[in-house]
Amino acid sequence: MNNDAVAFENLEKRFGSFVAVNRISLRVRRGEIFGFLGPNGAGKSTTIRMLCGLLSPTGGTGTVAGYDLRTEPEKIKRQIGYMSQKFSLYEDLTVEQNLDFYSGIYRIPRSRKQERKAWVLKMAGLTDRRKAQTGSLPGGIKQRLALGCAVLHEPPVLFLDEPTSGVDPMNRRRFWDLIYSMAEGGVTVFVTTHYMEEAEYCDRLALIYRGELAAVGTSAELKSSLMDDEILEIRCERPQEALDILSQIPGIRDAALFGDGIHVAATKESSAGDTIRRQLSQAGFSVESIAGVPPSLEDVFISLIEARDRDLPGQQEVER
């Protein structure tokens, strides 16, 4: 039996002369939490919309829940849940009216409707607020209601497109607890995000940039296999100003603020640590420490983007 919930090869989407998604291939296993990571405009949402049957691919082949992307988009829509960052809720309706609406959209049998509504109300913490107007709810609760509406019909595959955008960290963590429980129940979750810490929650990741796949693997695999550079963590006074000095030191490919310090990607043969300390001291910066550290997922992604930009000079990113 094929264990792939989502599979596609050479998937492509063009808008006129612009290539939003450029011949990408992936396989996502049943019950897997798969993260699609990339900056705004990278092609994440366009890919999701093709997989949900909302956009027709320009090229390539694929299946979702066993149904063909090109010939069976309506069957796919009945097998998936979809939640976007805008939550797809009707804010002038009450909580219960939204649930009734989506129960009708998904054709949930009358015999199961009350059971499913009760599950969503409990999951979202809205049992006592079922008559509340949706627009009056706090963002985190509204987010959980939107998730509940997306899975009322118990779909085997769930697509989440930037689902935690604009939600505070505490509610984001609670949201992911719900995702874990669904995956443990066998639901396949395909989630797009640009939050690096969220990507760490996924079983596997695909990094997408300018419509192309830059890498696929677990977080640990990406960190261990894709970094040619050494990562140095620098703690010094006035780190924002220190970036200007660091950017001029030979052997340093990238320098960025990281927490209350700086992460520097340097070529391994450059012996950058001694040079960094000397140059910062000469410029009047007090250096507390310089130490090699394991790369973060953010370090990996920045390194990949820098490499792609060097390979494709002058290519402009277009929002899709």
Side-chain angles (χ1 to χ4, degrees):
M1 178 180 176
N2 190 339
N3 197 38
D4 293 330
V6 179
F8 51 89
E9 293 185 9
N10 298 319
L11 193 65
E12 180 183 69
K13 184 61 182 180
R14 293 176 176 268
F15 296 92
S17 61
F18 174 68
V19 182
V21 176
N22 189 12
R23 298 175 64 82
I24 66 176
S25 301
L26 275 177
R27 291 184 177 276
V28 180
R29 297 183 292 270
R30 297 178 192 275
E32 186 173 27
I33 301 176
F34 191 90
F36 210 40
L37 177 65
N40 292 333
K44 302 189 302 295
S45 293
T46 301
T47 302
I48 283 273
R49 289 171 188 147
M50 285 191 284
L51 297 178
C52 290
L54 302 175
L55 273 179
S56 298
T58 307
T61 60
T63 60
V64 174
Y67 294 105
D68 190 274
L69 283 179
R70 289 183 170 277
T71 61
E72 300 174 298
E74 294 306 314
K75 292 181 179 178
I76 288 175
K77 290 175 186 176
R78 291 194 288 271
Q79 295 296 314
I80 65 170
Y82 171 70
M83 176 181 165
S84 72
Q85 57 185 302
K86 295 180 181 178
F87 295 167
S88 303
L89 296 172
Y90 291 90
E91 299 211 343
D92 56 338
L93 298 181
T94 67
V95 168
E96 189 163 31
Q97 286 170 337
N98 265 291
L99 292 174
D100 287 336
F101 174 78
Y102 280 100
S103 295
I105 290 290
Y106 292 130
R107 300 179 182 178
I108 295 175
R110 182 172 296 181
S111 59
R112 300 219 53 215
K113 180 178 176 180
Q114 292 307 314
E115 175 191 341
R116 293 303 297 158
K117 283 175 59 177
W119 180 86
V120 172
L121 291 169
K122 182 179 180 181
M123 178 272 293
L126 285 167
T127 302
D128 296 330
R129 302 177 71 174
R130 60 199 306 153
K131 301 299 183 184
Q133 187 173 11
T134 299
S136 69
L137 299 174
I141 294 179
K142 195 182 297 183
Q143 175 200 50
R144 294 195 294 274
L145 174 60
L147 175 64
C149 288
V151 297
L152 265 172
H153 56 309
E154 301 179 273
V157 183
L158 177 61
F159 289 99
L160 305 174
D161 191 8
E162 301 279 358
T164 61
S165 180
V167 177
D168 67 81
M170 184 176 295
N171 278 303
R172 192 180 302 157
R173 177 67 255 187
R174 182 172 177 181
F175 181 83
W176 274 94
D177 287 340
L178 294 172
I179 297 305
Y180 284 143
S181 67
M182 290 182 187
E184 288 171 359
V187 176
T188 303
V189 182
F190 193 111
V191 56
T192 74
T193 183
H194 60 267
Y195 292 117
M196 297 295 166
E197 70 272 19
E198 277 195 345
E200 299 275 8
Y201 303 154
C202 300
D203 297 320
R204 284 193 305 140
L205 301 166
L207 307 184
I208 185 170
Y209 184 57
R210 290 181 171 177
E212 297 183 350
L213 285 187
V216 181
T218 67
S219 175
E221 288 170 347
L222 298 182
K223 292 174 188 176
S224 64
S225 65
L226 294 179
M227 286 298 294
D228 294 327
D229 298 330
E230 177 184 20
I231 301 299
L232 299 175
E233 184 175 73
I234 303 167
R235 296 193 175 276
C236 65
E237 60 181 0
R238 310 193 313 275
Q240 179 72 58
E241 297 175 37
L243 287 176
D244 293 333
I245 305 296
L246 295 171
S247 65
Q248 300 172 35
I249 297 176
I252 291 182
R253 297 190 190 275
D254 183 71
L257 295 175
F258 198 91
D260 57 358
I262 300 171
H263 271 202
V264 163
T267 55
K268 293 180 179 177
E269 65 276 6
S270 65
S271 301
D274 294 338
T275 305
I276 289 170
R277 186 179 292 276
R278 183 174 63 255
Q279 297 252 10
L280 287 178
S281 296
Q282 289 175 354
F285 290 86
S286 176
V287 180
E288 178 184 335
S289 65
I290 299 175
V293 294
S296 68
L297 199 55
E298 183 173 348
D299 291 324
V300 173
F301 194 44
I302 290 174
S303 177
L304 288 171
I305 286 177
E306 292 285 338
R308 290 287 173 124
D309 284 343
R310 288 194 296 270
D311 293 339
L312 299 169
Q315 182 175 334
Q316 297 298 310
E317 186 176 317
V318 179
E319 184 75 23
R320 284 291 177 191

